[in-house]
C-alpha cells in the first residue's frame, strides 16, 4: 500500500493538507525522519508506528536492507540463529537469536526465512521486507538524500533533507540509520594497485595458484582468506594489530571461529601467515624493469608485474614516484634477507571494514567524528544524540562509538535494544511519556530481579551498556528496564522518574576484568563466596543512596561501567546462565537486597504469618503485604522458615528437612530463601 494513501484520504474527507503531503512549496514535513531502511531504521519505524507518531523512513534503494544484497561478499552471516533452546520463553530465546527485530508479533522472527545456524546473507533482506510489510511501516523508497542541513529559529531547530530530485523533507527530529557502508581505505604509496573487498571476485577459481596478500585481520579479511585458501598458493595477512579472537575478547566484532581456518594453516606451517605492520608505512610496488630478461617461475608467471611489499623508509623521492617506479635496492628484501613479505604477490586485497558516510551533512548538521575506530564513526552522547547536533540521533551500527570493541551495539542483536532506548528518550522529551516501568511491592523485588537475570535479553546482549534501574521507595519500588548506563547522571531528566531518599539499585550484566586463558583450567568460578572473581558473564547489582553525578561517572574506576557504589553484589557466574541456585544465587542475593532495603524479604506461608502476627509486634513485610491483606500462600505440608543466621530469631522450623541445615553449613551458607521460580 502506498504510504501516502491515509494522507490522501484525510485530504479528500477534510480538505486539510496533512503534513505527509507537504506544503504549498512541496516541502514534506514530519515530526520524525528516519534515514535508512536497514534493520535499525525499520526497528525505529516500528516503535514510532506503535506510538502513532508522525514519521517517514527514507531509503535510497528499492527495498530494505540493501547492504545485505552485497555484503558479506561470501554470503554467509556470522550472526547466530539458534532456533532450538529447549525453552518456550520468547524473551530468553532472543538471547540466542541475533537477527530478529523487536515487535509485538511473537511469530515475526528471522527463523521464518532461514533455519540455518549461520544463515545466508540473502535471507536478511527477505526478513526485513517481511517485517516492514506485516507491520505496515511507512517507508519511501528511491529517495537518495544528498544534503542534510540544520535550520535554527529562536524557538526550535529542524533538519532539512534534500534528495536527488531537489525535493526537501523537513523534520524536527532526524534519526540517522544509514549504517556503515563506505569502504575504509588506507593511504600509502601503491594503494592504487590494491583491490577492494567491495569489488573483488568471489570465485575461488580466480585465485588458483596465486600468492595473495590481504590487508586487514577482521572478519571480512578472514572471510576472504577462508574462501580462497584452498586455491591460492599462499595467503598472507597484514595489519597494525595482532588478530583478536572473539572467544577471548567477548567482543562479537572480533574474529569469529567460523572464519578462522587460516589460523590453523598458519600455526601448522602450511604456507599461510599473519604479519603485524603499520599500513601507513608500507609501500606496494611493481619492480622496475632494468633491461633484464623476463624471468619466469615454474608456474609460468612473469616476475615483472607482480607486486612487492616494502616500507617507505627505503623508497627514494616518494612524492615523485608512482607505484611501479621502484628499483631492487628499494625493496625491503634487499636490506633484510629474511623479511617476512619478501616474496612477490599476484594480488593485494584491502579488507579494512567500513565507515560512516559524513559527506551528506553540511557544517550545520554534521556530527563530529568519534575518537573511537580512528574517526570512522560519529560521536554521540550517552543517549545517542549527536554531540553538537541537538535533535539528530544516530542509531544502529553507526552509533557503535559508545561501545566500540566492547559490547554488541554495532550489531542487530545489540542495537535493537539501543534503538528502543532512544525511542523511550524521545517519548519522554517530546511527548511527556515517562520511561516504561513496573511498580512492585518491595517483597516482589527478589523475584523480579531473578526473573530478569534469568531471561532478559537486552542487558544480556548489551552488557555493561544497558541496565535495569530499580528505584527504591520504602514499601514498594519502581522497576525501569534497559536504561543507558552511561546516562545514569541524567536519569531523571531522560526517564521522567525521580530518585527518592531510599536510593536505587542498578542491575548490570558484565564480564570479569582479569585477563585469563578462557579455555584454560580454573577459568570458571563456582564458589559463591568468591563471586566477585567471576570471569564470565554474570549479574552485578550496584546500590547508590543518591544518583551518581556526571563527575563521578567520569572518575569511575577503569573498566567499570558505573561509579563506585555504596554497596555491590556479584552473582557468581553460572555455566547454564540461569542463576537460580537456592544456595549459590538466591540466598546471597536476598541478603544483599535486604541490606539495601532494610527489610526481611523472606516469603512465608499463611500459617507462619498467622503465628508471627500473634507473637510479633511487627510481622515481616511479606506477611503485612500479603497475609494481613487476605493474601498469601497456604500449604499444609510445608510450614517452615528457611534456616537463619545465629543472630536471627528462628521462628518456625516445623516440617523442615533435618539434612538441609547441614547442607547449608557445608556450603558456607547461613540461610536460603527457599524461593523457586518457574522461568
Amino acid at each position: 500500500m502506498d504510504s501516502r494513501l491515509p494522507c490522501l484520504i484525510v485530504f479528500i474527507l477534510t480538505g486539510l493538507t496533512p503534513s505527509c503531503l507537504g506544503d504549498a512549496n512541496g516541502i514534506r514535513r514530519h515530526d520524525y525522519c528516519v534515514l535508512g531502511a536497514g534493520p535499525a531504521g525499520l526497528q525505529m519505524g516500528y516503535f514510532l508506528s506503535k506510538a502513532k507518531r508522525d514519521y517517514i523512513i527514507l531509503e535510497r534503494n528499492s527495498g530494505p536492507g540493501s547492504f545485505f544484497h552485497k555484503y558479506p561478499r561470501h554470503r554467509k552471516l556470522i550472526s547466530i540463529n539458534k532456533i532450538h533452546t529447549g525453552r518456550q520463553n520468547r524473551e530468553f530465546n532472543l538471547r540466542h537469536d541475533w537477527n530478529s527485530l523487536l515487535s509485538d508479533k511473537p511469530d515475526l522472527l528471522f527463523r521464518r526465512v532461514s533455519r540455518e545456524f549461520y544463515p545466508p546473507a540473502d535471507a536478511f533482506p527477505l526478513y526485513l521486507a517481511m517485517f516492514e510489510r506485516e507491520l505496515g511501516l511507512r517507508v519511501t523508497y528511491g529517495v537518495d538524500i544528498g544534503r542534510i542541513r540544520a535550520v535554527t529559529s529562536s524557538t526550535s531547530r529542524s533538519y532539512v533533507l534534500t534528495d536527488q530530485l531537489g525535493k526537501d523533507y523537513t523534520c524536527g527530529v532526524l534519526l540517522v540509520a544509514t549504517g556503515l557502508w563506505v569502504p575504509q581505505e588506507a593511504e600509502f604509496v601503491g594503494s592504487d594497485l590494491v583491490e577492494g573487498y567491495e569489488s573483488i571476485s568471489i570465485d575461488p577459481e580466480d585465485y588458483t595458484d596465486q600468492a595473495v596478500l590481504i590487508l586487514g585481520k577482521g572478519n571480512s579479511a578472514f572471510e576472504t582468506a577462508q574462501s580462497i585458501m584452498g586455491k591460492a598458493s599462499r595467503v598472507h595477512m597484514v595489519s597494525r594489530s595482532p588478530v583478536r579472537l572473539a572467544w577471548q575478547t567477548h567482543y562479537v566484532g572480533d574474529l569469529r571461529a567460523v572464519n578462522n581456518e587460516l589460523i590453523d594453516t598458519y600455526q601448522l606451517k602450511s604456507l599461510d601467515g599473519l604479519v603485524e605492520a603499520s599500513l601507513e608505512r608500507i609501500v606496494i610496488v611493481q619492480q622496475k624493469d632494468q633491461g633484464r630478461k623476463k624471468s619466469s617461475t615454474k608456474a609460468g608467471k612473469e616476475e615483472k608485474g607482480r607486486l612487492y611489499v616494502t616500507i617507505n623508509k627505503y623508497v627514494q623521492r616518494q612524492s615523485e614516484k608512482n607505484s611501479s617506479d621502484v628499483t631492487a635496492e628499494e625493496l625491503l628484501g634487499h636490506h633484510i634477507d629474511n623479511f617476512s613479505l619478501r616474496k612477490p604477490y599476484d594480488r593485494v586485497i584491502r579488507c579494512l571494514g567500513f565507515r560512516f558516510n559524513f559527506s551528506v551533512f553540511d557544517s550545520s548538521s554534521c556530527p563530529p567524528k568519534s575518537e573511537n575506530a580512528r574517526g570512522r564513526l560519529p560521536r554521540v552522547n550517552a543517549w545517542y544524540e549527536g554531540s553538537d547536533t541537538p535533535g539528530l540521533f544516530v542509531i544502529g551500527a553507526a552509533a557503535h562509538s559508545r561501545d566500540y570493541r566492547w559490547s554488541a551495539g554495532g550489531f542487530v542483536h545489540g542495537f535493537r535494544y539501543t534503538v528502543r532506548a532512544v525511542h523511550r528518550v524521545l517519548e519522554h522529551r517530546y511527548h511527556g511519556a515517562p520511561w516504561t516501568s513496573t511498580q512492585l511491592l518491595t517483597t516482589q523485588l527478589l523475584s523480579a530481579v531473578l526473573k530478569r537475570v534469568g531471561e532478559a535479553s537486552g542487558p544480556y546482549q548489551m552488557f555493561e551498556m544497558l541496565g535495569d534501574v530499580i528505584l527504591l521507595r520504602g514499601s514498594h519500588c519502581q522497576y525501569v528496564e534497559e536504561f543507558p548506563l552511561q546516562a545514569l547522571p541524567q536519569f531523571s531528566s531522560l526517564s521522567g522518574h525521580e530518585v527518592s531518599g531510599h536510593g536505587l539499585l542498578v542491575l548490570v550484566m558484565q564480564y570479569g576484568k582479569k585477563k585469563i586463558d578462557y579455555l584454560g583450567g580454573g577459568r570458571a568460578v563456582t564458589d559463591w563466596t568468591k563471586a566477585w572473581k567471576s570471569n564470565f558473564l554474570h549479574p552485578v547489582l550496584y546500590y547508590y543512596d543518591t544518583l551518581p553525578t556526571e563527575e563521578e561517572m567520569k572518575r569511575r574506576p577503569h573498566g567499570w561501567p558505573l561509579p563506585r557504589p555504596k554497596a555491590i553484589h556479584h552473582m557468581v557466574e553460572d555455566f547454564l546462565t540461569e542463576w537460580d541456585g537456592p544456595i549459590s544465587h538466591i540466598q546471597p542475593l536476598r541478603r544483599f537486597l535486604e541490606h539495601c532495603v532494610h527489610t526481611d524479604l523472606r516469603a512465608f506461608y499463611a500459617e507462619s504469618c498467622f503465628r508471627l502476627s500473634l507473637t510479633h509486634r511487627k510481622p515481616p513485610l511479606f506477611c503485612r503485604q500479603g497475609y494481613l491483606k487476605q493474601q498469601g500462600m497456604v500449604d499444609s505440608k510445608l510450614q517452615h522458615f528457611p534456616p537463619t543466621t545465629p543472630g536471627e530469631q528462628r521462628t518456625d522450623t516445623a516440617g523442615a528437612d533435618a539434612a538441609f541445615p547441614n547442607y547449608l553449613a557445608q556450603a558456607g551458607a547461613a540461610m536460603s530463601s527457599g524461593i523457586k521460580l518457574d522461568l
Side-chain angles (χ1 to χ4, degrees), residues 92-388:
F92 174 86
N93 288 342
L94 281 172
R95 289 182 171 185
H96 312 287
D97 175 354
W98 290 11
N99 301 283
S100 296
L101 298 180
L102 306 177
S103 76
D104 54 6
K105 291 193 171 186
D107 64 334
L108 193 52
L109 301 173
F110 184 81
R111 66 180 65 181
R112 284 174 54 183
V113 296
S114 175
R115 303 186 71 84
E116 295 184 42
F117 189 75
Y118 291 115
D122 290 330
F124 201 63
L126 294 177
Y127 170 69
L128 294 180
M130 179 180 71
F131 187 86
E132 176 214 339
R133 181 177 62 254
E134 295 193 13
L135 294 173
L137 304 182
R138 296 197 287 271
V139 186
T140 301
Y141 293 106
V143 178
D144 189 1
I145 299 299
R147 184 190 179 200
I148 300 173
R149 67 186 188 276
V151 178
T152 304
S153 68
S154 58
T155 58
S156 65
R157 178 184 177 95
S158 60
Y159 291 90
V160 180
L161 291 67
T162 305
D163 68 9
Q164 75 276 24
L165 301 177
K167 295 180 181 178
D168 288 339
Y169 299 81
T170 300
C171 51
V173 177
L174 174 59
L175 298 147
V176 180
T178 53
L180 307 176
W181 59 271
V182 180
Q184 177 72 9
E185 300 181 4
E187 292 296 328
F188 53 83
V189 176
S191 58
D192 56 306
L193 297 173
V194 173
E195 302 174 64
Y197 172 74
E198 68 277 5
S199 59
I200 59 170
S201 169
I202 58 174
D203 183 357
E205 296 293 337
D206 292 342
Y207 300 86
T208 300
D209 202 28
Q210 291 188 352
V212 180
L213 176 65
I214 296 177
L215 308 182
K217 294 198 195 103
N219 279 296
S220 63
F222 271 90
E223 162 210 326
T224 301
Q226 190 153 303
S227 172
I228 66 176
M229 58 187 292
K231 296 294 182 179
S233 60
R234 68 179 187 273
V235 179
H236 291 166
M237 306 179 73
V238 60
S239 71
R240 177 191 302 270
S241 304
V243 64
R244 301 182 182 96
L245 301 172
W247 60 265
Q248 287 181 324
T249 65
H250 305 302
Y251 174 59
V252 296
D254 283 335
L255 179 60
R256 304 285 300 285
V258 68
N259 284 329
N260 71 6
E261 291 179 10
L262 186 131
I263 293 180
D264 261 12
T265 57
Y266 169 44
Q267 291 295 324
L268 300 178
K269 304 310 293 180
S270 186
L271 297 178
D272 303 325
L274 309 175
V275 177
E276 284 71 55
S278 172
L279 297 186
E280 289 75 14
R281 295 184 59 207
I282 71 170
V283 178
I284 306 295
V285 296
Q286 290 176 313
Q287 186 175 354
K288 184 178 181 180
D289 184 11
Q290 297 180 314
R292 303 186 305 271
K293 286 186 178 181
K294 297 177 181 177
S295 59
S296 299
T297 64
K298 291 181 181 180
K301 301 189 189 76
E302 293 184 353
E303 289 295 321
K304 184 178 183 300
R306 301 182 77 191
L307 304 174
Y308 289 81
V309 177
T310 185
I311 60 175
N312 50 22
K313 173 181 177 180
Y314 296 105
V315 178
Q316 305 296 320
R317 300 184 304 279
Q318 295 177 37
S319 61
E320 302 175 13
K321 290 180 177 288
N322 60 40
S323 56
S324 61
D325 187 16
V326 67
T327 63
E329 291 74 17
E330 293 174 292
L331 298 179
L332 188 55
H334 178 80
H335 302 272
I336 305 175
D337 62 359
N338 66 342
F339 172 52
S340 301
L341 306 180
R342 62 185 179 272
K343 290 286 189 178
Y345 295 93
D346 297 288
R347 311 171 85 139
V348 179
I349 301 174
R350 166 183 41 78
C351 299
L352 302 177
F354 300 90
R355 59 182 175 85
F356 182 71
N357 180 24
F358 290 92
S359 66
V360 297
F361 300 89
D362 72 6
S363 58
S364 66
S365 63
C366 188
K369 293 183 178 181
S370 170
E371 297 177 359
N372 292 338
R374 300 182 178 275
R376 294 192 297 119
L377 303 172
R379 187 169 75 239
V380 294
N381 61 26
W383 50 95
Y384 302 97
E385 191 171 15
S387 298
D388 301 322

Side-chain angles (χ1 to χ4, degrees), residues 491 577 648:
F491 174 80
T577 64
E648 293 183 59

Side-chain angles (χ1 to χ4, degrees), residues 469-520:
V469 179
I470 306 165
L471 305 174
L472 305 179
R473 306 195 188 282
S475 63
H476 67 282
C477 54
Q478 201 82 13
Y479 203 111
V480 179
E481 297 180 0
E482 297 172 20
F483 188 82
L485 296 177
Q486 295 170 7
L488 193 60
Q490 294 81 24
F491 174 80
S492 296
S493 61
L494 293 175
S495 70
H497 298 290
E498 296 296 330
V499 178
S500 75
H502 295 278
L504 67 154
L505 289 161
V506 184
L507 172 61
V508 185
M509 302 294 290
Q510 62 185 64
Y511 283 96
K513 305 305 176 187
K514 185 179 179 180
K515 300 297 182 184
I516 65 166
D517 179 358
Y518 286 101
L519 293 180

